[in-house]
Amino acid sequence: MALFSPRTEKQKRTMQLRALAIATLLATTTLHAQYGTFDAGTVKAAKATKTVVVLDAGDSPYNRTMIESAKSGWKFTGEVEFVSTAELAAQPIAPDRIYLLKTRKTDPVKFDATFLTLVKGWKPKKGEVLAQTANEFTGIPAEHELAFIQIDTKAINEKGLARLIDVYLKHMQNYLSLVEGGKITDKTTADRLYASRNRHVRDTELWLAQEHADKSLPDAAKVKEFYTAPCQVMALSQLPSALEKQDKGITISDVVMTGDHKNKHCFKRVFNVGTGELMYMRDDASIFGKKEGFIDEDLKTLERAR
């Protein structure tokens, strides 16, 4: 008596479709820290529009710095205008505009995160409105995202790091130029390109905030055990002076934490202050207080990169 009966072709096909559906679900719900469209034509078309920069309600370091940075450093489109979240909510999205705004995304594993997102406008359906809470928009269709980067609004508004906006805008424009030029065509090519920049961090002076380092790296002496290139370990409050310099010879740490307690996740980046180029990125689960910032493996990766 047979213990197993052979699967029919229909059953095999059903199992394959289920596996594909699960893989698709995981791909669409995984929270990535910084990417966007991979279509060069979409980027080229967006450059011919006007950028609408959406500001928070009221006054804030975020608003003030975004206005300054967008006026002086946003070169992706020829025109820029500014509206508040309330004003955007009162007017329909326009297909001949692109919108720079804050979005909120939810990942079942890595929890909620805030992003600075460049969105391609579209023709809204009748009665369609943009949902937003606390100046962050939700439900933006992924196909309309041109570029996005995870940010920490609290660090920008309360920890003196508003000038990070300069870096983020430069990074987004660099990403878009790479897509338009065909150097980034999918997540794999993006990751490969960013990884190729790791070695160039050693050609700069890395400013690592002590608050961005895990407790396993308590001081500069411990950092130097794993990273021998030029590096300053300093208080987070000192990073703004690097941001003000906009020096291509300086790279800085940037850390964004999501979740809490058993579900914490740590997103780590290194940016070139002058160019805004993303030089390094990695994210780790920060379970039970571990890996809450840069760890020795991050430094070893930068030290050994070729």
Side-chain angles (χ1 to χ4, degrees):
M1 179 178 176
L3 294 177
F4 301 97
S5 58
R7 293 189 179 96
T8 65
E9 287 301 316
K10 184 177 181 180
Q11 287 173 322
K12 290 180 181 178
R13 180 61 178 163
T14 299
M15 292 181 69
Q16 290 172 345
L17 289 173
R18 286 176 179 172
L20 180 60
I22 292 172
T24 302
L25 177 63
L26 291 173
T28 54
T29 57
T30 298
L31 188 154
H32 297 299
Q34 54 271 308
Y35 294 101
T37 183
F38 298 120
D39 185 79
T42 298
V43 174
K44 291 177 182 177
K47 290 178 69 175
T49 64
K50 176 189 286 189
T51 302
V52 178
V53 179
V54 183
L55 303 173
D56 293 350
D59 184 37
S60 66
Y62 174 87
N63 277 3
R64 294 192 295 271
T65 309
M66 179 59 78
I67 292 171
E68 293 174 9
S69 189
K71 285 182 176 180
S72 63
W74 186 254
K75 309 298 182 184
F76 182 68
T77 60
E79 293 183 80
V80 176
E81 67 174 287
F82 301 90
V83 301
S84 68
T85 52
E87 289 171 333
L88 182 63
Q91 58 184 257
I93 286 286
D96 61 344
R97 300 284 191 271
I98 60 176
Y99 298 82
L100 186 62
L101 44 74
K102 287 191 296 185
T103 60
R104 191 75 172 171
K105 299 182 184 182
T106 300
D107 182 283
V109 176
K110 302 172 187 177
F111 280 66
D112 289 349
T114 302
F115 292 81
L116 183 60
T117 306
L118 187 66
V119 176
K120 176 181 63 175
W122 66 91
K123 186 176 181 180
K125 298 177 182 178
K126 186 176 181 179
E128 181 181 3
V129 295
L130 288 179
Q132 66 92 13
T133 302
N135 300 302
E136 298 173 355
F137 291 85
T138 56
I140 299 290
E143 63 267 24
H144 295 306
E145 295 177 336
L146 293 167
F148 56 83
I149 182 167
Q150 190 175 8
I151 65 173
D152 183 345
T153 307
K154 186 174 182 180
I156 290 172
N157 282 328
E158 300 177 19
K159 298 182 180 180
L161 296 176
R163 298 260 55 117
L164 273 173
I165 291 173
D166 297 332
V167 174
Y168 294 153
L169 294 191
K170 289 176 183 177
H171 158 73
M172 295 175 80
Q173 291 176 96
N174 178 247
Y175 175 85
L176 292 166
S177 70
L178 293 169
V179 172
E180 184 181 13
K183 293 183 178 180
I184 288 180
T185 56
D186 53 24
K187 182 178 179 297
T188 300
T189 52
D191 290 343
R192 188 180 301 130
L193 187 145
Y194 292 139
S196 73
R197 292 174 173 174
N198 291 175
R199 62 188 177 90
H200 296 300
V201 174
R202 298 196 305 272
D203 298 328
T204 71
E205 182 174 79
L206 173 61
W207 287 30
L208 174 63
Q210 186 64 66
E211 291 88 336
H212 288 164
D214 180 67
K215 60 187 177 184
S216 61
L217 298 174
D219 51 39
K222 194 64 176 179
V223 168
K224 290 184 183 300
E225 289 183 21
F226 307 105
Y227 187 73
T228 61
C231 178
Q232 289 194 48
V233 180
M234 62 189 64
L236 184 68
S237 60
Q238 292 179 267
L239 281 191
S241 63
L243 294 168
E244 291 287 349
K245 294 178 188 294
Q246 298 193 30
D247 187 341
K248 294 180 181 179
I250 297 175
T251 48
I252 61 165
S253 62
D254 188 26
V255 169
V256 180
M257 300 293 298
T258 61
D260 53 34
H261 192 43
K262 295 180 181 180
N263 300 299
K264 276 188 177 181
H265 211 90
C266 178
F267 293 85
K268 297 166 280 191
R269 294 88 63 96
V270 173
F271 291 98
N272 184 294
V273 171
T275 66
E277 291 176 329
L278 178 62
M279 310 294 285
Y280 176 78
M281 65 174 177
R282 174 174 171 165
D283 66 273
D284 289 309
S286 303
I287 302 173
F288 303 115
K290 297 181 179 180
K291 298 183 179 180
E292 294 187 350
F294 281 77
I295 58 176
D296 59 351
E297 288 301 318
D298 297 304
L299 300 177
K300 289 175 183 177
T301 298
L302 295 173
E303 178 80 6
R304 298 168 181 172
R306 297 291 181 265

